[in-house]
Amino acid sequence: MKVDVSKLVITEVAQITAFNAAGELEFIMDEVQNGTINNTQEKTDITGRNGRKIASLKKNKAVTVSATNGVLVGGALAAQTGTEVEQGTFKVRITDVMTVNSNKCSTSKTAVGTAGDEIGALYIKNANGSLGTKLEQDATAASDKFTYDPATKEITVTGIADGTEVVAFYDVEVDSARISNDSEKYSKVLKLYIDVVLQDSCDTEYAGQVIIQRADVSGEFELSLGGDNFAHSFEAESLAGGCTGSTNLWDLIVYGV
């Protein structure tokens, strides 16, 4: 059946999927808040006598795809930084508030680091919530020293009243994913599929897909942190040629649902 594309409105960007040159999935963006495909071309006027425009020279088409996603997408972040999503055990630093009882308290997690200096420092919490006296980790507890046993997670102090809160900042190992923004690596070139929903003047819905064979992902992006409206911005520029030899900057395919 022939699809009439004379009067169509794009009502929704369903998702953006990206694949590398080997055909492996890099990421899926499926909470797209908004997106644009911006097409430009240069036009140079050719003039004749008395400055009359007699023709124009058109060249250098360019296509930029931009989108804002409502959730953080790790694979997209890796594409923007030119790295990979690593799975493994990595260190993070936590803040631990503990209450002293009989000159003892325990960390909520096992601190890791140099033996005998896993925590390094302990701070006595003042009544107003600020951090006061600093104690240093040592082999023996004293007025300004404390000990720590990572096997039991127990901290030993001396001369501190029961009920006193102390605060420690220390590293723990967690099973996690890591994306590193390596200063010597740059954003990737990927194949993009942008799935959209379209509607004609008779309220008939169609599915559509914009295919960009070679999309040079921009390394300039923004993560809006905090608040109710988190946003992960994404931008890529379409490239022609490459190993496919295609001069197409994009293809739009519209089909019935």
Side-chain angles (χ1 to χ4, degrees):
M1 180 184 72
K2 185 176 180 180
V3 177
D4 183 5
V5 295
S6 59
K7 292 184 179 181
L8 291 175
V9 175
I10 296 177
T11 59
E12 179 187 354
V13 181
Q15 67 177 23
I16 301 173
T17 52
F19 298 82
N20 61 25
E24 300 166 330
L25 177 67
E26 289 278 335
F27 67 83
I28 301 173
M29 279 186 163
D30 57 4
E31 291 292 344
V32 180
Q33 298 167 336
N34 54 70
T36 60
I37 298 176
N38 185 41
N39 196 96
T40 62
Q41 71 174 18
E42 291 183 22
K43 188 181 79 165
T44 303
D45 292 336
I46 300 174
T47 58
R49 189 172 57 186
N50 298 324
R52 290 179 300 180
K53 186 170 70 173
I54 57 177
S56 61
L57 176 64
K58 299 175 182 178
K59 60 181 181 178
N60 295 338
K61 275 190 173 183
V63 172
T64 302
V65 177
S66 59
T68 301
N69 204 58
V71 296
L72 176 68
V73 177
L77 192 60
Q80 291 168 316
T81 56
T83 54
E84 302 296 334
V85 179
E86 302 174 75
Q87 298 288 341
T89 301
F90 305 105
K91 290 180 181 178
V92 296
R93 177 149 297 191
I94 69 167
T95 301
D96 209 349
V97 181
M98 299 156 283
T99 302
V100 174
N101 185 24
S102 300
N103 286 325
K104 303 282 187 182
C105 61
S106 297
T107 58
S108 60
K109 300 182 183 298
T110 301
V112 296
T114 304
D117 194 32
E118 295 87 357
I119 296 178
L122 193 67
Y123 298 86
I124 297 176
K125 197 172 183 181
N126 296 323
N128 64 2
S130 63
L131 301 184
T133 304
K134 175 183 175 181
L135 285 68
E136 295 183 352
Q137 187 173 339
D138 204 344
T140 305
S143 59
D144 59 348
K145 307 287 184 183
F146 70 94
T147 64
Y148 178 65
D149 182 358
T152 62
K153 300 188 288 187
E154 187 174 74
I155 289 175
T156 301
V157 295
T158 185
I160 297 180
D162 287 357
T164 300
E165 288 188 326
V166 293
V167 181
F169 306 92
Y170 57 88
D171 293 337
V172 299
E173 290 186 335
V174 292
D175 292 329
S176 53
R178 180 175 71 180
I179 302 168
S180 299
N181 192 356
D182 189 331
S183 62
E184 296 185 351
K185 293 183 179 179
Y186 299 92
S187 55
K188 301 176 183 178
V189 175
L190 302 173
K191 185 173 183 177
L192 293 186
Y193 295 86
I194 304 171
D195 291 306
V196 297
V197 178
L198 306 97
Q199 186 173 296
D200 66 13
S201 56
C202 295
D203 298 326
T204 301
E205 282 197 346
Y206 296 87
Q209 190 171 78
V210 179
I211 303 172
I212 300 176
Q213 296 290 338
R214 298 178 65 229
D216 186 3
V217 176
S218 174
E220 296 183 9
F221 60 93
E222 181 177 89
L223 302 176
S224 300
L225 307 175
D228 297 328
N229 296 316
F230 172 81
H232 180 179
S233 68
F234 175 83
E235 186 173 283
E237 184 177 3
S238 180
L239 303 176
C243 60
T244 64
S246 172
T247 59
N248 291 0
L249 293 173
W250 52 256
D251 296 304
L252 171 61
I253 299 174
V254 180
Y255 55 97
V257 293

